[in-house]
């Protein structure tokens, strides 16, 4: 399980953020002692840091600079100051992403997910993913079954499938899927999403996996691994 | 400085001169001085009078003409005391010293207000950053709660949009340069704005189409995001409920010198009489009154920032049919040169 360190002095936000991350399959740690923030972050051995710019004792940007001399852990800067200058400064100090408050929680999760995906794809694999007895080529939009049979997915179907896959065995809400699609500049409406999911099901049904995407009424969809 | 006017002003000296000269002539004649001697004395006195008049005129003319010229030519007329070269005559020096004093005093006075405005701006910015904390908190709480309350979330988004409007208003009123022009991906900015408005677009059943925006423009990404957000939220707000399908279409058209971004909607439209004034400060128009949700500030700020950053913006509309906002970004050769 990926561990995420939250550096945020507003107790209400850090508490809610912890709940959000914990519910989304991460382990969240909240930094308590800002007097020695850099040591604290390193001691948490986190896989990712959510760093607020306005924190006690020290400016978040300076903390990031300090942290970068000792660690390459991915950092997402979170701030209520939104100007191009602040963003440029943060990125130049080595932030991996920059999110402004108030953020859409689903978007924040997507950004976190994107950073982890980027890191994982760096380790060897040529982009193919194996799931059950099929090989998935996300770039080409192709799924190949062990029988050698291939099916071709549209970009939207692939985006939906990949999102379900990376959240396998967890209920994914329609809102999450929609946010993921819109985030990929595919501006679907509600009907189009339903159509895409039924087409996806039809593809798998043809290949003999009828049960692969289940609907949880009022909650969303779940991919059974 | 014209001699005629100057002389008119000194007419009294001529009167005195003539009266005194006449008195002197009479006196000299009474003492039976030779006519030639009287004439010679009169000429000497006349030469004295004329030369004094001319010398004084030209000394002053030089000083005042420069002063008037400088005032006419200066863009900021209040800087004129700075241009004065200390004159050789007494009255000029009095004027100079008074001008300098009033100038300084006005500068001090302006500074009080500038400082006040600056403090206010700083306070508003700080306040906005502070209020974003409870808004963030509220968004997270609503999101985390089991019965995710979409109606409440929509209201929180509304609060946030209004707060953002005042932040950008304060920033745009500021004389200082508060933006960075750089190469930006239009698709990314449109995407960010689309995602922000996703819930409102979906809840209102609007057909949202984006095409051909895969281009780069020179702008400030944050500012453009704010401006597009204002335009898009107008499109959502003023959709036409009488139409079967509501459409918002964002596209970009490119030619040699510029890129035009178009935001089209088939909403209620803007009447011909309101159209020329939509960019005016606090103008709400018929639509704003009828729907009573308008501050009249959004498009005013948008237009102002477009002017500052060198983008063009104009709106086409037909009431009951459509509204189309067109924003033009010029391709700047300067950037291409520096990049090479």
């Amino acid at each position: 399980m990926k561990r995420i360190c939250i550096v945020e002095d507003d107790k209400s936000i850090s508490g809610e953020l912890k709940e959000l991350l914990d519910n989304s399959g991460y382990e969240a740690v909240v930094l308590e002692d800002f007097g020695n923030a850099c040591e604290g972050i390193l001691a948490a051995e986190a896989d990712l840091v959510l760093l607020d710019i306005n924190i006690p004792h020290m400016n978040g940007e300076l903390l990031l600079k300090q942290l970068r001399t000792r660690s390459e852990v991915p950092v997402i800067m979170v701030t209520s100051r939104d100007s191009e200058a602040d963003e440029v400064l943060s990125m130049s100090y080595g932030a991996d992403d920059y999110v402004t408050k108030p953020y859409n929680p689903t978007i924040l999760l997507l950004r976190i997910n994107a950073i982890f995906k980027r890191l994982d794809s760096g380790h060897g694999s040529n982009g193919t993913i194996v799931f059950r007895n099929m090989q998935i080529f996300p770039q080409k939009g192709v799924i190949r079954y062990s029988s050698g049979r291939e099916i071709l997915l549209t970009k939207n179907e692939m985006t939906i499938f990949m999102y379900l896959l990376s959240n396998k065995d967890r209920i994914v809400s329609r809102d999450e899927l929609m946010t993921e699609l819109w985030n990929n500049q595919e501006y679907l409406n509600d009907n189009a999403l339903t159509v895409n999911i039924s087409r996806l099901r039809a593809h798998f049904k043809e290949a003999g996996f009828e049960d692969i995407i289940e609907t949880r009424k009022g909650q969303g969809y779940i991919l059974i691994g | 400085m014209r001699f005629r006017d100057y002389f008119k002003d000194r007419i009294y000296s001529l009167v005195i001169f003539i009266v005194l000269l006449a008195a002197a002539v009479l006196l000299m004649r009474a003492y039976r001085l030779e006519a030639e001697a009287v004439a010679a004395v009169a000429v000497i006195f006349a030469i004295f009078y004329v030369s004094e008049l001319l010398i004084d005129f030209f000394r002053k003319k030089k000083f005042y003409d420069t002063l008037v010229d400088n005032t006419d030519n200066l863009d900021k007329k209040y800087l004129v005391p700075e241009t004065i070269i200390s004159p050789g005559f007494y009255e000029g020096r009095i004027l100079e010293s008074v001008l300098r004093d009033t100038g300084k005093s006005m500068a001090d006075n302006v500074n009080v207000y500038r400082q006040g405005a600056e403090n206010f701006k700083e306070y508003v910015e700080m306040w906005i950053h502070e209020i974003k904390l409870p808004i963030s908190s509220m968004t997270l709480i609503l999101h985390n709660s089991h019965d995710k309350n979409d109606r409440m979330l929509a209201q929180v988004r509304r609060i946030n949009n209004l707060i953002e409007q005042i932040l950008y208003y304060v920033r745009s009123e500021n004389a200082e340069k508060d933006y960075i022009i750089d190469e930006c991906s239009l698709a990314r900015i449109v995407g960010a704005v689309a995602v922000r408005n996703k819930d409102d677009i979906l809840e209102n059943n609007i057909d949202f189409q984006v095409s051909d925006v895969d281009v780069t423009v020179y702008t400030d990404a944050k500012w453009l995001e704010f401006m597009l957000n204002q335009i898009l939220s107008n499109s959502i707000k003023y959709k036409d409920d009488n139409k079967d399908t509501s459409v918002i279409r964002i596209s970009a058209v490119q030619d040699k010198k510029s890129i035009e971004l178009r935001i089209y909607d088939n909403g209620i439209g803007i009447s011909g009489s309101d159209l020329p004034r939509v960019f005016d400060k606090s103008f709400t128009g018929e639509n704003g009154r009828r729907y009573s949700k308008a501050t009249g500030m959004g498009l005013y700020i948008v237009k102002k920032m477009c002017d500052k950053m060198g983008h063009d913006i104009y709106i086409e509309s037909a009431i009951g049919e459509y509204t189309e906002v067109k924003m033009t970004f010029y391709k700047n050769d300067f950037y291409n040169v520096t990049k090479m």
Side-chain angles (χ1 to χ4, degrees):
Chain A
M1 195 186 274
K2 302 275 191 200
R3 187 181 297 160
I4 298 176
C5 181
I6 302 169
V7 184
E8 162 68 71
D9 64 314
D10 187 294
K11 285 271 180 289
S12 167
I13 295 183
S14 61
E16 292 297 329
L17 205 49
K18 183 173 161 50
E19 192 182 327
L20 175 78
L21 294 174
D22 284 343
N23 289 341
S24 310
Y26 298 108
E27 183 191 347
V29 197
V30 179
L31 185 79
E32 302 287 350
D33 175 21
F34 291 94
N36 215 343
C38 194
E39 295 299 324
I41 294 169
L42 291 171
E45 292 186 325
D47 298 295
L48 186 136
V49 180
L50 288 180
L51 179 56
D52 185 63
I53 288 188
N54 283 314
I55 47 172
H57 299 299
M58 193 192 254
N59 178 301
E61 280 152 349
L62 290 178
L63 177 57
L64 173 63
K65 217 173 165 184
Q66 213 180 72
L67 188 66
R68 273 289 169 262
T69 61
R70 302 174 60 185
S71 163
E72 284 302 307
V73 60
V75 172
I76 298 181
M77 295 300 272
V78 183
T79 174
S80 53
R81 288 207 307 233
D82 63 337
S83 80
E84 198 64 16
D86 284 319
E87 184 164 343
V88 169
L89 192 64
S90 289
M91 297 311 254
S92 77
Y93 283 163
D96 294 82
D97 206 344
Y98 185 94
V99 179
T100 46
K101 284 178 194 164
Y103 36 76
N104 177 331
T106 316
I107 302 249
L108 181 70
L109 292 173
L110 286 179
R111 299 276 190 100
I112 293 171
N113 201 8
I115 286 184
F116 284 140
K117 228 173 17 193
R118 207 155 64 212
L119 287 178
D120 289 345
S121 67
H123 302 303
S125 84
N126 53 6
T128 42
I129 297 158
V130 177
F131 173 64
R132 292 207 189 176
N133 62 351
M134 38 187 153
Q135 270 183 300
I136 301 145
F137 305 87
Q139 301 303 325
K140 286 191 275 182
V142 168
I143 294 181
R144 183 185 295 152
Y145 296 99
S146 52
S147 61
R149 194 179 151 201
E150 285 188 358
I151 54 171
L152 201 62
L153 300 187
T154 63
K155 192 180 166 223
N156 290 341
E157 289 164 1
M158 190 46 107
T159 305
I160 295 168
F161 180 62
M162 286 308 291
Y163 191 78
L164 288 170
L165 188 59
S166 58
N167 292 284
K168 164 174 86 181
D169 296 324
R170 181 176 79 79
I171 299 171
V172 171
S173 67
R174 280 177 72 88
D175 178 56
E176 270 177 76
L177 285 176
M178 211 52 136
T179 311
E180 167 79 2
L181 284 162
W182 279 54
N183 215 28
N184 281 297
Q185 295 167 10
E186 297 295 339
Y187 308 109
L188 270 61
N189 61 21
D190 262 320
N191 285 336
L193 178 62
T194 311
V195 169
N196 269 285
I197 287 183
S198 15
R199 276 215 304 261
L200 207 49
R201 278 194 175 125
H203 284 313
F204 290 123
K205 189 175 176 187
E206 229 179 294
F209 298 109
E210 244 174 277
D211 55 338
I212 206 159
I213 301 170
E214 279 181 19
T215 306
R216 294 289 157 87
K217 213 160 173 74
Q219 297 183 74
Y221 305 97
I222 183 165
L223 186 77
I224 309 291
Chain B
M1 194 164 167
R2 283 184 312 180
F3 184 76
R4 214 173 49 157
D5 293 331
Y6 171 79
F7 183 64
K8 251 204 233 154
D9 221 30
R10 303 272 307 242
I11 203 82
Y12 66 91
S13 73
L14 183 66
V15 173
I16 295 170
F17 175 73
I18 289 170
V19 170
L20 288 184
L21 189 62
V25 167
L26 287 178
L27 201 65
M28 284 185 283
R29 293 295 292 168
Y31 282 99
R32 304 196 187 286
L33 251 72
E34 296 288 330
E36 283 89 7
V38 172
V41 168
V43 168
I44 289 169
F45 275 86
I47 291 174
F48 163 75
Y49 175 75
V50 171
S51 56
E52 196 280 327
L53 197 68
L54 287 180
I55 289 170
D56 187 58
F57 171 72
F58 283 110
R59 255 183 3 158
K60 288 182 177 166
K61 180 179 167 59
K62 194 176 160 230
F63 173 72
Y64 287 111
D65 280 357
T66 321
L67 190 64
V68 170
D69 266 8
N70 286 344
T71 312
D72 286 347
N73 293 333
L74 268 178
D75 203 19
K76 293 173 174 165
K77 299 203 187 303
Y78 58 84
L79 288 176
V80 88
E82 308 296 324
T83 68
I84 296 177
I85 299 161
S86 208
F89 59 101
Y90 178 56
E91 291 157 46
R93 286 198 296 275
I94 294 178
L95 179 66
E96 179 199 357
S97 134
V98 168
L99 276 178
R100 283 195 199 281
D101 284 353
T102 49
K104 196 173 166 300
S105 150
M106 184 47 95
D108 289 346
N109 199 28
V110 168
N111 255 336
V112 170
Y113 289 100
R114 179 175 298 149
Q115 195 58 49
E118 191 56 38
N119 287 345
F120 182 67
K121 179 192 169 239
E122 255 168 46
Y123 173 62
V124 169
E125 286 218 25
M126 202 189 73
W127 182 89
I128 287 165
H129 297 140
E130 285 299 313
I131 201 160
K132 281 188 176 176
L133 300 181
I135 296 176
S136 303
S137 209
M138 201 143 51
T139 313
L140 282 165
I141 291 169
L142 288 172
H143 192 91
N144 284 342
S145 66
H146 295 293
D147 48 340
K148 203 178 139 208
N149 195 328
D150 287 329
R151 270 157 51 227
M152 206 110 102
L153 276 170
Q155 294 307 313
V156 173
R157 278 201 303 279
R158 226 174 115 189
I159 294 177
N160 191 45
N161 276 341
L162 285 167
I163 283 173
E164 185 163 71
Q165 206 179 61
I166 194 169
L167 174 67
Y168 279 87
Y169 172 69
V170 169
R171 282 185 182 168
S172 74
E173 287 292 295
N174 191 14
E176 280 165 52
K177 203 177 158 209
D178 213 352
Y179 51 88
I180 304 171
I181 305 264
D182 202 357
E183 201 174 32
C184 303
S185 152
L186 202 50
R188 231 196 86 200
I189 296 170
V190 169
V193 178
V195 169
R196 279 177 61 173
N197 289 283
K198 173 181 79 72
D199 294 349
D200 290 321
I201 292 171
L202 293 177
E203 275 158 30
N204 283 296
N205 269 320
I206 295 169
D207 189 9
F208 187 71
Q209 305 163 2
V210 175
S211 56
D212 304 323
V213 292
D214 240 330
V215 287
T216 54
V217 293
Y218 287 100
T219 189
D220 177 296
K222 285 276 150 53
W223 267 105
L224 184 59
E225 200 180 310
F226 167 78
M227 297 194 282
L228 281 185
N229 193 49
Q230 294 298 313
I231 295 167
L232 189 59
S233 50
N234 278 345
S235 290
I236 299 170
K237 193 155 61 178
Y238 298 123
K239 76 173 186 123
D240 190 345
D241 293 323
N242 298 323
K243 287 186 183 125
D244 290 340
T245 43
S246 289
V247 179
I248 295 176
R249 200 158 47 225
I250 300 182
S251 58
V253 182
Q254 178 161 202
D255 67 22
K256 265 205 180 106
K257 283 194 304 204
S258 63
I259 292 168
E260 190 177 76
L261 178 67
R262 297 174 178 170
I263 301 106
Y264 168 93
D265 68 68
N266 66 344
I268 56 174
I270 303 165
S271 77
S273 57
D274 281 354
L275 202 51
R277 295 165 64 199
V278 288
F279 292 123
D280 291 356
K281 194 175 187 173
S282 305
F283 181 75
T284 49
E286 213 175 295
N287 294 346
R289 281 192 295 277
R290 195 155 10 128
Y291 296 82
S292 72
K293 271 195 232 155
T295 57
M297 293 303 285
L299 285 179
Y300 164 73
I301 304 173
V302 169
K303 168 74 175 156
K304 195 164 158 187
M305 277 322 286
C306 275
D307 290 348
K308 273 196 183 184
M309 297 198 291
H311 310 326
D312 279 350
I313 183 164
Y314 78 103
I315 301 185
E316 277 173 21
S317 182
I319 198 138
E321 285 178 37
Y322 77 101
T323 305
E324 185 162 28
V325 181
K326 295 181 173 180
M327 228 170 158
T328 311
F329 305 90
Y330 293 96
K331 295 176 180 171
N332 198 332
D333 295 331
F334 170 73
Y335 287 103
N336 296 333
V337 171
T338 53
K339 280 205 132 168
M340 268 155 44

